[in-house]
Amino acid sequence: MYTTTLISLFTLIASLNHIQAWTDPFFVVQHAPDIITSRIDPVISPGGISSHVHSIVGSSSFKPTYTYENSMSGRCTTANVDIDRSSYWTPQLYRKNDNGTFSLVRMNRANTYYLMRRGSQSETVYDFPEGFRMVAGNPSRITYNSSNYAEKAISYVCLGVNGAPETNGFPTQSCPNDLRAQVFFPNCWDGINTYLPNSAHVAYPTTDGYNSGGKCPSTHPKRILSIFYEFHFTDNFQYKAGSRVWATGDDLGYSLHADFTFGWPKGFLPTIFPYGEQCAVDFSLENCPPLKPHLVNNGSACTPDSGFQIVNEDIGTYSPIAKLPGNNPIWGSSGPKKADPNYKETASFTTSSIPVPAGWTKLGCLAEPSGSRALTAASTTDQTMTPTKCINFCASKGYSLAGVEWSVECYCGNSVTKTSLSAINNNLACSMPCKGLEYSAGYCGGSSLLTIYQKSSGTSSNVNAVSKASSSSTSKSTSTSKTSTPSSSTVAGRGTKTSSSTSTSTAKTSTTSSSAKATLNLKPASSSITKTSSATTSTSTARLAGHKRRRGGH
């Protein structure tokens, strides 16, 4: 009995020694759907076209070349923390159809976790330096090694399936409440470089797991915050092996990887560290004092900054495509990737500038007055609506204000009613794509939201003139259409009153000629990000990449 008691005592002491008495900060930044989906990767392919399509959230100033200054200059972010101008991205997911074509699978939201994982309460955690960037995962990986931390850090959770295990390749069933693709980044840094090829400037701990505060290797002695992504993809399809395909061409799921470029204000993140338990808030950021003043709910309203670049190619935004963009044949279940040795890149960058007639200026996004219209003098609908078409229509009738709404609607007037132009707010979700443009971002209003344009004072009306600076090419088309306001049933669904104006117009329209169909912030009209339930759509505290948040123990 004495021996048994002694053994139990030693066990208890060992257990107590293992317990960590502190709780480190742990918070989750929520993101609206992607701001840009294109073959752009400023970490791996700076200034050039990436090898495969990515789904990107974060700063509105995202460009093919990353600089800290450019990230911080973004006028908005998809995040629910308005000062987070970082960019986060993963490959785009596709679905291989029975006829061999590929359909783009929507990434509907993302969560980016910031965790302090340190081995002792006295261990220093360093802020990311300006210009810091890193990649986790291997886009060419075809096997899985359970003893390799870098490979264990890539995983999936199938939401909506009771008891579905966390997997390191694609799940073997459909995920009715989303496929959650997960990446945990290294949290040990060499303390010198902001980036090295193959992310050699960062490393995983040498002990206690990839997602722990285990000992850092001597080559990477400085601890940094742990970053963890979960990107949610719609996956409510009938399951078929091999039907899920990353943009890399991988149909097993092992090539999942993620990129991060730092875009927080210098010195801000360390202000959170001392709060410890008080900022271990998961999704409840309002309970963390440094974060609370910066919370917003309009990440879905964020659109790319004007003049953004995108690869001019069809990525499957509107309909299935015959092959994956780039040199990406299907591989994985069939063996290693065998790229076409004769492939030559033909895609190029294009600058998205929506053409606007000379003498007109975009004012911004204006909410319709409750139960009424801001512009009531004339209106039209057109399934090929563009800002230019709307402006031409309004200008032909002598009006100085034009507003596009709901992708296809146009309203005119010389003044607004029951509201004011001073109420224009570009944080509102004027993010619906124009039906008449193959790509656009936030130029044709939203649900009860007008994108307003105004004729400059002292400028004569020139219905067909388009500013050279805003259009790389011009095509002329003549259309004659009887126009009217939307039907009462359509408008009733948006809670607004129709205008009685009906008119006929014949006008030449100038539009951007481009085959680009890359996805640019094609988001729901809602301007808020709904806080998701960790039980169904988000990583719960107890299931963060297979480990628990530390509250006194690992």
Side-chain angles (χ1 to χ4, degrees), residues 405-448:
E405 182 171 328
W406 200 250
S407 294
V408 297
E409 302 170 7
C410 171
Y411 299 92
C412 312
N414 288 321
S415 62
V416 294
T417 61
K418 298 184 180 182
T419 185
S420 168
L421 292 179
S422 64
I424 284 175
N425 180 359
N426 286 322
N427 285 324
L428 297 174
C430 278
S431 55
M432 296 190 75
C434 302
K435 284 288 188 178
L437 295 174
E438 290 181 318
Y439 62 94
S440 70
Y443 290 95
C444 280
S447 176
S448 299

mmCIF file of all heavy atoms in Angstrom, residues 405-448:
data_model
loop_
_atom_site.group_PDB
_atom_site.id
_atom_site.type_symbol
_atom_site.label_atom_id
_atom_site.label_comp_id
_atom_site.label_asym_id
_atom_site.label_seq_id
_atom_site.Cartn_x
_atom_site.Cartn_y
_atom_site.Cartn_z
ATOM 1 N N GLU A 405 -28.173 49.495 -59.641
ATOM 2 C CA GLU A 405 -28.579 48.724 -58.473
ATOM 3 C C GLU A 405 -28.959 47.308 -58.886
ATOM 4 O O GLU A 405 -29.489 47.085 -59.986
ATOM 5 C CB GLU A 405 -29.777 49.408 -57.803
ATOM 6 C CG GLU A 405 -30.286 48.727 -56.542
ATOM 7 C CD GLU A 405 -31.329 49.569 -55.819
ATOM 8 O OE1 GLU A 405 -31.251 50.810 -55.880
ATOM 9 O OE2 GLU A 405 -32.231 48.973 -55.195
ATOM 10 N N TRP A 406 -28.678 46.347 -57.990
ATOM 11 C CA TRP A 406 -29.121 44.959 -58.172
ATOM 12 C C TRP A 406 -28.634 44.356 -59.474
ATOM 13 O O TRP A 406 -29.285 43.545 -60.113
ATOM 14 C CB TRP A 406 -30.644 44.880 -58.078
ATOM 15 C CG TRP A 406 -31.174 43.516 -57.771
ATOM 16 C CD1 TRP A 406 -31.875 42.687 -58.603
ATOM 17 C CD2 TRP A 406 -31.061 42.791 -56.529
ATOM 18 N NE1 TRP A 406 -32.190 41.511 -57.973
ATOM 19 C CE2 TRP A 406 -31.710 41.549 -56.693
ATOM 20 C CE3 TRP A 406 -30.461 43.091 -55.296
ATOM 21 C CZ2 TRP A 406 -31.776 40.596 -55.680
ATOM 22 C CZ3 TRP A 406 -30.544 42.157 -54.293
ATOM 23 C CH2 TRP A 406 -31.191 40.927 -54.483
ATOM 24 N N SER A 407 -27.479 44.790 -59.953
ATOM 25 C CA SER A 407 -26.807 44.253 -61.143
ATOM 26 C C SER A 407 -27.420 44.671 -62.470
ATOM 27 O O SER A 407 -26.720 44.740 -63.476
ATOM 28 C CB SER A 407 -26.734 42.718 -61.102
ATOM 29 O OG SER A 407 -25.920 42.279 -60.055
ATOM 30 N N VAL A 408 -28.741 44.941 -62.516
ATOM 31 C CA VAL A 408 -29.414 45.155 -63.797
ATOM 32 C C VAL A 408 -30.265 46.418 -63.845
ATOM 33 O O VAL A 408 -30.839 46.735 -64.883
ATOM 34 C CB VAL A 408 -30.308 43.945 -64.158
ATOM 35 C CG1 VAL A 408 -29.474 42.689 -64.338
ATOM 36 C CG2 VAL A 408 -31.386 43.724 -63.092
ATOM 37 N N GLU A 409 -30.392 47.140 -62.748
ATOM 38 C CA GLU A 409 -31.312 48.269 -62.673
ATOM 39 C C GLU A 409 -30.572 49.602 -62.783
ATOM 40 O O GLU A 409 -29.441 49.734 -62.327
ATOM 41 C CB GLU A 409 -32.091 48.232 -61.354
ATOM 42 C CG GLU A 409 -32.883 46.962 -61.167
ATOM 43 C CD GLU A 409 -33.448 46.830 -59.759
ATOM 44 O OE1 GLU A 409 -33.340 47.789 -58.974
ATOM 45 O OE2 GLU A 409 -33.996 45.759 -59.436
ATOM 46 N N CYS A 410 -31.254 50.605 -63.359
ATOM 47 C CA CYS A 410 -30.692 51.943 -63.544
ATOM 48 C C CYS A 410 -31.745 52.977 -63.173
ATOM 49 O O CYS A 410 -32.905 52.871 -63.588
ATOM 50 C CB CYS A 410 -30.262 52.125 -64.993
ATOM 51 S SG CYS A 410 -29.773 53.815 -65.426
ATOM 52 N N TYR A 411 -31.329 53.979 -62.387
ATOM 53 C CA TYR A 411 -32.236 55.035 -61.954
ATOM 54 C C TYR A 411 -31.587 56.391 -62.206
ATOM 55 O O TYR A 411 -30.358 56.539 -62.104
ATOM 56 C CB TYR A 411 -32.585 54.872 -60.475
ATOM 57 C CG TYR A 411 -33.293 53.563 -60.190
ATOM 58 C CD1 TYR A 411 -32.569 52.433 -59.825
ATOM 59 C CD2 TYR A 411 -34.672 53.453 -60.339
ATOM 60 C CE1 TYR A 411 -33.205 51.222 -59.597
ATOM 61 C CE2 TYR A 411 -35.320 52.249 -60.118
ATOM 62 C CZ TYR A 411 -34.589 51.135 -59.744
ATOM 63 O OH TYR A 411 -35.222 49.940 -59.531
ATOM 64 N N CYS A 412 -32.433 57.409 -62.509
ATOM 65 C CA CYS A 412 -31.933 58.718 -62.894
ATOM 66 C C CYS A 412 -32.619 59.829 -62.103
ATOM 67 O O CYS A 412 -33.726 59.669 -61.583
ATOM 68 C CB CYS A 412 -32.196 58.980 -64.379
ATOM 69 S SG CYS A 412 -31.747 57.656 -65.499
ATOM 70 N N GLY A 413 -31.969 60.989 -62.071
ATOM 71 C CA GLY A 413 -32.543 62.174 -61.470
ATOM 72 C C GLY A 413 -31.531 63.305 -61.451
ATOM 73 O O GLY A 413 -30.353 63.112 -61.790
ATOM 74 N N ASN A 414 -32.020 64.489 -61.053
ATOM 75 C CA ASN A 414 -31.122 65.622 -60.857
ATOM 76 C C ASN A 414 -30.832 65.859 -59.389
ATOM 77 O O ASN A 414 -29.947 66.645 -59.040
ATOM 78 C CB ASN A 414 -31.721 66.887 -61.481
ATOM 79 C CG ASN A 414 -31.671 66.847 -63.002
ATOM 80 O OD1 ASN A 414 -30.687 66.382 -63.581
ATOM 81 N ND2 ASN A 414 -32.721 67.319 -63.646
ATOM 82 N N SER A 415 -31.574 65.177 -58.538
ATOM 83 C CA SER A 415 -31.361 65.245 -57.103
ATOM 84 C C SER A 415 -31.930 63.981 -56.492
ATOM 85 O O SER A 415 -32.691 63.253 -57.134
ATOM 86 C CB SER A 415 -32.043 66.486 -56.505
ATOM 87 O OG SER A 415 -33.447 66.420 -56.707
ATOM 88 N N VAL A 416 -31.540 63.695 -55.250
ATOM 89 C CA VAL A 416 -32.057 62.514 -54.566
ATOM 90 C C VAL A 416 -33.192 62.914 -53.644
ATOM 91 O O VAL A 416 -33.274 64.052 -53.174
ATOM 92 C CB VAL A 416 -30.939 61.802 -53.761
ATOM 93 C CG1 VAL A 416 -29.902 61.232 -54.691
ATOM 94 C CG2 VAL A 416 -30.301 62.737 -52.754
ATOM 95 N N THR A 417 -34.095 61.983 -53.392
ATOM 96 C CA THR A 417 -35.239 62.248 -52.530
ATOM 97 C C THR A 417 -35.159 61.392 -51.264
ATOM 98 O O THR A 417 -34.699 60.259 -51.299
ATOM 99 C CB THR A 417 -36.563 61.938 -53.260
ATOM 100 O OG1 THR A 417 -36.583 60.554 -53.626
ATOM 101 C CG2 THR A 417 -36.694 62.794 -54.512
ATOM 102 N N LYS A 418 -35.609 61.974 -50.167
ATOM 103 C CA LYS A 418 -35.688 61.304 -48.868
ATOM 104 C C LYS A 418 -34.337 60.794 -48.373
ATOM 105 O O LYS A 418 -34.266 59.883 -47.557
ATOM 106 C CB LYS A 418 -36.708 60.159 -48.912
ATOM 107 C CG LYS A 418 -38.120 60.633 -49.201
ATOM 108 C CD LYS A 418 -39.123 59.478 -49.149
ATOM 109 C CE LYS A 418 -40.525 59.984 -49.431
ATOM 110 N NZ LYS A 418 -41.537 58.905 -49.355
ATOM 111 N N THR A 419 -33.281 61.326 -48.935
ATOM 112 C CA THR A 419 -31.926 61.025 -48.477
ATOM 113 C C THR A 419 -31.019 62.151 -48.962
ATOM 114 O O THR A 419 -31.515 63.177 -49.454
ATOM 115 C CB THR A 419 -31.433 59.657 -48.979
ATOM 116 O OG1 THR A 419 -30.141 59.373 -48.410
ATOM 117 C CG2 THR A 419 -31.333 59.609 -50.493
ATOM 118 N N SER A 420 -29.724 61.995 -48.841
ATOM 119 C CA SER A 420 -28.781 63.028 -49.250
ATOM 120 C C SER A 420 -27.525 62.386 -49.807
ATOM 121 O O SER A 420 -27.142 61.277 -49.400
ATOM 122 C CB SER A 420 -28.422 63.908 -48.041
ATOM 123 O OG SER A 420 -27.314 64.732 -48.328
ATOM 124 N N LEU A 421 -26.882 63.067 -50.735
ATOM 125 C CA LEU A 421 -25.625 62.555 -51.269
ATOM 126 C C LEU A 421 -24.547 62.495 -50.190
ATOM 127 O O LEU A 421 -23.564 61.760 -50.323
ATOM 128 C CB LEU A 421 -25.154 63.413 -52.440
ATOM 129 C CG LEU A 421 -26.005 63.344 -53.720
ATOM 130 C CD1 LEU A 421 -25.423 64.259 -54.792
ATOM 131 C CD2 LEU A 421 -26.105 61.915 -54.243
ATOM 132 N N SER A 422 -24.731 63.264 -49.131
ATOM 133 C CA SER A 422 -23.776 63.199 -48.020
ATOM 134 C C SER A 422 -23.872 61.873 -47.270
ATOM 135 O O SER A 422 -22.998 61.534 -46.474
ATOM 136 C CB SER A 422 -24.008 64.359 -47.044
ATOM 137 O OG SER A 422 -25.293 64.249 -46.430
ATOM 138 N N ALA A 423 -24.929 61.108 -47.544
ATOM 139 C CA ALA A 423 -25.103 59.793 -46.906
ATOM 140 C C ALA A 423 -24.360 58.689 -47.638
ATOM 141 O O ALA A 423 -24.418 57.525 -47.241
ATOM 142 C CB ALA A 423 -26.592 59.453 -46.808
ATOM 143 N N ILE A 424 -23.678 59.037 -48.733
ATOM 144 C CA ILE A 424 -22.903 58.024 -49.468
ATOM 145 C C ILE A 424 -21.861 57.421 -48.532
ATOM 146 O O ILE A 424 -21.138 58.132 -47.834
ATOM 147 C CB ILE A 424 -22.248 58.634 -50.715
ATOM 148 C CG1 ILE A 424 -23.318 58.829 -51.804
ATOM 149 C CG2 ILE A 424 -21.111 57.753 -51.240
ATOM 150 C CD1 ILE A 424 -22.818 59.535 -53.042
ATOM 151 N N ASN A 425 -21.792 56.097 -48.525
ATOM 152 C CA ASN A 425 -20.921 55.371 -47.592
ATOM 153 C C ASN A 425 -20.326 54.178 -48.315
ATOM 154 O O ASN A 425 -21.019 53.203 -48.600
ATOM 155 C CB ASN A 425 -21.728 54.912 -46.368
ATOM 156 C CG ASN A 425 -20.882 54.155 -45.359
ATOM 157 O OD1 ASN A 425 -19.686 53.937 -45.562
ATOM 158 N ND2 ASN A 425 -21.509 53.746 -44.269
ATOM 159 N N ASN A 426 -19.047 54.231 -48.609
ATOM 160 C CA ASN A 426 -18.415 53.153 -49.375
ATOM 161 C C ASN A 426 -18.128 51.908 -48.546
ATOM 162 O O ASN A 426 -17.538 50.952 -49.046
ATOM 163 C CB ASN A 426 -17.141 53.660 -50.042
ATOM 164 C CG ASN A 426 -17.454 54.553 -51.224
ATOM 165 O OD1 ASN A 426 -18.389 54.301 -51.976
ATOM 166 N ND2 ASN A 426 -16.706 55.636 -51.375
ATOM 167 N N ASN A 427 -18.525 51.919 -47.275
ATOM 168 C CA ASN A 427 -18.469 50.688 -46.491
ATOM 169 C C ASN A 427 -19.723 49.843 -46.676
ATOM 170 O O ASN A 427 -19.799 48.722 -46.200
ATOM 171 C CB ASN A 427 -18.288 51.000 -45.001
ATOM 172 C CG ASN A 427 -16.879 51.430 -44.679
ATOM 173 O OD1 ASN A 427 -15.938 50.925 -45.270
ATOM 174 N ND2 ASN A 427 -16.731 52.372 -43.767
ATOM 175 N N LEU A 428 -20.728 50.405 -47.367
ATOM 176 C CA LEU A 428 -21.927 49.635 -47.668
ATOM 177 C C LEU A 428 -21.621 48.617 -48.770
ATOM 178 O O LEU A 428 -20.637 48.750 -49.500
ATOM 179 C CB LEU A 428 -23.058 50.565 -48.109
ATOM 180 C CG LEU A 428 -23.537 51.578 -47.057
ATOM 181 C CD1 LEU A 428 -24.562 52.524 -47.673
ATOM 182 C CD2 LEU A 428 -24.121 50.856 -45.845
ATOM 183 N N ALA A 429 -22.497 47.624 -48.904
ATOM 184 C CA ALA A 429 -22.211 46.490 -49.796
ATOM 185 C C ALA A 429 -22.701 46.710 -51.220
ATOM 186 O O ALA A 429 -23.520 45.956 -51.734
ATOM 187 C CB ALA A 429 -22.806 45.212 -49.218
ATOM 188 N N CYS A 430 -22.194 47.742 -51.891
ATOM 189 C CA CYS A 430 -22.428 47.895 -53.330
ATOM 190 C C CYS A 430 -21.472 46.956 -54.049
ATOM 191 O O CYS A 430 -20.511 47.386 -54.703
ATOM 192 C CB CYS A 430 -22.206 49.335 -53.760
ATOM 193 S SG CYS A 430 -23.613 50.422 -53.458
ATOM 194 N N SER A 431 -21.700 45.668 -53.894
ATOM 195 C CA SER A 431 -20.723 44.679 -54.339
ATOM 196 C C SER A 431 -21.287 43.684 -55.340
ATOM 197 O O SER A 431 -20.702 42.645 -55.584
ATOM 198 C CB SER A 431 -20.177 43.911 -53.127
ATOM 199 O OG SER A 431 -21.229 43.341 -52.384
ATOM 200 N N MET A 432 -22.448 44.005 -55.935
ATOM 201 C CA MET A 432 -23.012 43.082 -56.915
ATOM 202 C C MET A 432 -22.382 43.324 -58.284
ATOM 203 O O MET A 432 -22.253 44.472 -58.717
ATOM 204 C CB MET A 432 -24.528 43.225 -56.976
ATOM 205 C CG MET A 432 -25.218 42.836 -55.683
ATOM 206 S SD MET A 432 -27.009 42.730 -55.824
ATOM 207 C CE MET A 432 -27.167 41.182 -56.729
ATOM 208 N N PRO A 433 -21.980 42.256 -58.971
ATOM 209 C CA PRO A 433 -21.343 42.419 -60.283
ATOM 210 C C PRO A 433 -22.332 42.904 -61.323
ATOM 211 O O PRO A 433 -23.505 42.545 -61.300
ATOM 212 C CB PRO A 433 -20.847 41.006 -60.608
ATOM 213 C CG PRO A 433 -21.779 40.108 -59.860
ATOM 214 C CD PRO A 433 -22.104 40.836 -58.588
ATOM 215 N N CYS A 434 -21.865 43.744 -62.222
ATOM 216 C CA CYS A 434 -22.703 44.218 -63.313
ATOM 217 C C CYS A 434 -22.969 43.074 -64.284
ATOM 218 O O CYS A 434 -22.039 42.391 -64.713
ATOM 219 C CB CYS A 434 -22.011 45.364 -64.051
ATOM 220 S SG CYS A 434 -21.592 46.768 -63.007
ATOM 221 N N LYS A 435 -24.214 42.882 -64.656
ATOM 222 C CA LYS A 435 -24.566 41.780 -65.548
ATOM 223 C C LYS A 435 -23.920 41.919 -66.923
ATOM 224 O O LYS A 435 -23.677 40.931 -67.597
ATOM 225 C CB LYS A 435 -26.087 41.696 -65.710
ATOM 226 C CG LYS A 435 -26.812 41.099 -64.528
ATOM 227 C CD LYS A 435 -26.573 39.603 -64.421
ATOM 228 C CE LYS A 435 -27.452 38.990 -63.343
ATOM 229 N NZ LYS A 435 -27.257 37.529 -63.253
ATOM 230 N N GLY A 436 -23.635 43.150 -67.324
ATOM 231 C CA GLY A 436 -23.090 43.366 -68.655
ATOM 232 C C GLY A 436 -21.585 43.329 -68.733
ATOM 233 O O GLY A 436 -21.019 43.576 -69.801
ATOM 234 N N LEU A 437 -20.925 43.042 -67.622
ATOM 235 C CA LEU A 437 -19.471 42.960 -67.627
ATOM 236 C C LEU A 437 -19.032 41.565 -67.244
ATOM 237 O O LEU A 437 -19.615 40.940 -66.359
ATOM 238 C CB LEU A 437 -18.867 43.974 -66.642
ATOM 239 C CG LEU A 437 -19.096 45.447 -66.968
ATOM 240 C CD1 LEU A 437 -18.582 46.314 -65.833
ATOM 241 C CD2 LEU A 437 -18.399 45.821 -68.267
ATOM 242 N N GLU A 438 -17.995 41.069 -67.882
ATOM 243 C CA GLU A 438 -17.516 39.729 -67.587
ATOM 244 C C GLU A 438 -16.787 39.672 -66.262
ATOM 245 O O GLU A 438 -16.641 38.639 -65.664
ATOM 246 C CB GLU A 438 -16.607 39.241 -68.723
ATOM 247 C CG GLU A 438 -17.391 38.969 -70.002
ATOM 248 C CD GLU A 438 -16.508 38.459 -71.119
ATOM 249 O OE1 GLU A 438 -15.401 38.979 -71.286
ATOM 250 O OE2 GLU A 438 -16.926 37.531 -71.822
ATOM 251 N N TYR A 439 -16.292 40.775 -65.806
ATOM 252 C CA TYR A 439 -15.752 40.852 -64.466
ATOM 253 C C TYR A 439 -15.963 42.266 -63.961
ATOM 254 O O TYR A 439 -15.908 43.230 -64.705
ATOM 255 C CB TYR A 439 -14.266 40.483 -64.417
ATOM 256 C CG TYR A 439 -13.368 41.387 -65.219
ATOM 257 C CD1 TYR A 439 -12.734 42.468 -64.625
ATOM 258 C CD2 TYR A 439 -13.171 41.164 -66.578
ATOM 259 C CE1 TYR A 439 -11.918 43.293 -65.353
ATOM 260 C CE2 TYR A 439 -12.349 41.998 -67.312
ATOM 261 C CZ TYR A 439 -11.729 43.061 -66.699
ATOM 262 O OH TYR A 439 -10.915 43.874 -67.428
ATOM 263 N N SER A 440 -16.258 42.379 -62.673
ATOM 264 C CA SER A 440 -16.422 43.691 -62.058
ATOM 265 C C SER A 440 -16.399 43.516 -60.560
ATOM 266 O O SER A 440 -16.485 42.407 -60.046
ATOM 267 C CB SER A 440 -17.727 44.350 -62.493
ATOM 268 O OG SER A 440 -18.841 43.690 -61.939
ATOM 269 N N ALA A 441 -16.310 44.602 -59.850
ATOM 270 C CA ALA A 441 -16.285 44.536 -58.398
ATOM 271 C C ALA A 441 -16.961 45.762 -57.818
ATOM 272 O O ALA A 441 -16.390 46.834 -57.801
ATOM 273 C CB ALA A 441 -14.851 44.433 -57.898
ATOM 274 N N GLY A 442 -18.169 45.572 -57.358
ATOM 275 C CA GLY A 442 -18.836 46.629 -56.642
ATOM 276 C C GLY A 442 -19.248 47.822 -57.478
ATOM 277 O O GLY A 442 -19.267 48.943 -56.987
ATOM 278 N N TYR A 443 -19.605 47.630 -58.747
ATOM 279 C CA TYR A 443 -19.959 48.764 -59.588
ATOM 280 C C TYR A 443 -21.439 48.841 -59.919
ATOM 281 O O TYR A 443 -21.891 49.807 -60.505
ATOM 282 C CB TYR A 443 -19.156 48.716 -60.890
ATOM 283 C CG TYR A 443 -17.691 48.996 -60.697
ATOM 284 C CD1 TYR A 443 -16.792 47.948 -60.543
ATOM 285 C CD2 TYR A 443 -17.205 50.292 -60.629
ATOM 286 C CE1 TYR A 443 -15.447 48.195 -60.347
ATOM 287 C CE2 TYR A 443 -15.859 50.538 -60.439
ATOM 288 C CZ TYR A 443 -14.986 49.487 -60.302
ATOM 289 O OH TYR A 443 -13.648 49.724 -60.101
ATOM 290 N N CYS A 444 -22.213 47.842 -59.578
ATOM 291 C CA CYS A 444 -23.641 47.854 -59.913
ATOM 292 C C CYS A 444 -24.510 47.638 -58.696
ATOM 293 O O CYS A 444 -25.453 46.857 -58.706
ATOM 294 C CB CYS A 444 -23.948 46.832 -61.005
ATOM 295 S SG CYS A 444 -23.511 47.441 -62.667
ATOM 296 N N GLY A 445 -24.163 48.328 -57.615
ATOM 297 C CA GLY A 445 -25.020 48.383 -56.451
ATOM 298 C C GLY A 445 -25.166 47.096 -55.684
ATOM 299 O O GLY A 445 -24.305 46.218 -55.720
ATOM 300 N N GLY A 446 -26.295 47.002 -54.982
ATOM 301 C CA GLY A 446 -26.569 45.830 -54.169
ATOM 302 C C GLY A 446 -28.045 45.761 -53.866
ATOM 303 O O GLY A 446 -28.877 46.294 -54.606
ATOM 304 N N SER A 447 -28.404 45.142 -52.764
ATOM 305 C CA SER A 447 -29.790 45.050 -52.351
ATOM 306 C C SER A 447 -30.206 46.374 -51.714
ATOM 307 O O SER A 447 -29.745 46.721 -50.631
ATOM 308 C CB SER A 447 -29.962 43.908 -51.347
ATOM 309 O OG SER A 447 -31.287 43.857 -50.867
ATOM 310 N N SER A 448 -31.066 47.126 -52.427
ATOM 311 C CA SER A 448 -31.497 48.465 -51.983
ATOM 312 C C SER A 448 -30.314 49.404 -51.810
ATOM 313 O O SER A 448 -30.323 50.295 -50.958
ATOM 314 C CB SER A 448 -32.304 48.374 -50.679
ATOM 315 O OG SER A 448 -33.463 47.602 -50.866
#
